[in-house]
């Protein structure tokens, strides 16, 4: 975002050595634009949690990020975090990783 003025939707360009698939997870950038990027890690096996991460810009400041994890093992990642009164909140059924 700092060099191009937008987030990339191409994981291979962002991190060429990071595999998008392994034995446990599939990684994917779901959305990327000038103000945010949303990425998911989808569990491939029962018993694993799935994740949704969001990197976003704050006007006049650097980028910030939030990562949400399903509260119970799931092969469906959490929905996109939402802005609530200038705070980013993980959706129901998930919790922020600190």
């Amino acid at each position: 975002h700092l060099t191009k003025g937008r987030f990339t939707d191409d994981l291979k360009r962002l991190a060429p050595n990071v595999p998008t698939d392994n034995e446990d997870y599939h990684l994917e950038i779901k959305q990327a634009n000038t103000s945010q990027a949303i990425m998911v890690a989808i569990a491939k096996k029962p018993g694993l949690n799935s994740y949704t991460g969001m990197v976003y810009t704050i006007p006049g400041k650097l980028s910030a990020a939030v990562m949400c994890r399903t509260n119970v093992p799931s092969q469906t990642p959490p929905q996109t975090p939402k802005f609530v009164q200038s705070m980013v909140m993980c959706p129901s059924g998930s919790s922020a990783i600190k």
Side-chain angles (χ1 to χ4, degrees), residues 35-38 52-58 64-68 79-91 95-98:
S35 62
Q36 67 184 24
I38 300 163
T52 297
M54 182 169 74
V55 179
Y56 56 96
T57 57
I58 300 171
V66 64
M67 177 71 70
C68 302
Q79 294 296 314
T80 302
K82 301 287 184 206
F83 289 96
V84 178
Q85 297 178 358
S86 75
M87 293 179 55
V88 178
M89 305 294 289
C90 289
S95 301
I97 297 174
K98 297 182 183 192

Side-chain angles (χ1 to χ4, degrees), residues 31-72:
Q31 175 188 346
N33 57 39
T34 58
S35 62
Q36 67 184 24
I38 300 163
M39 184 174 171
V40 295
I42 303 167
K44 290 182 169 182
K45 298 178 182 177
L48 297 175
N49 296 71
S50 288
Y51 301 82
T52 297
M54 182 169 74
V55 179
Y56 56 96
T57 57
I58 300 171
K61 297 183 180 181
L62 294 176
S63 297
V66 64
M67 177 71 70
C68 302
R69 175 181 58 207
T70 55
N71 291 336
V72 296

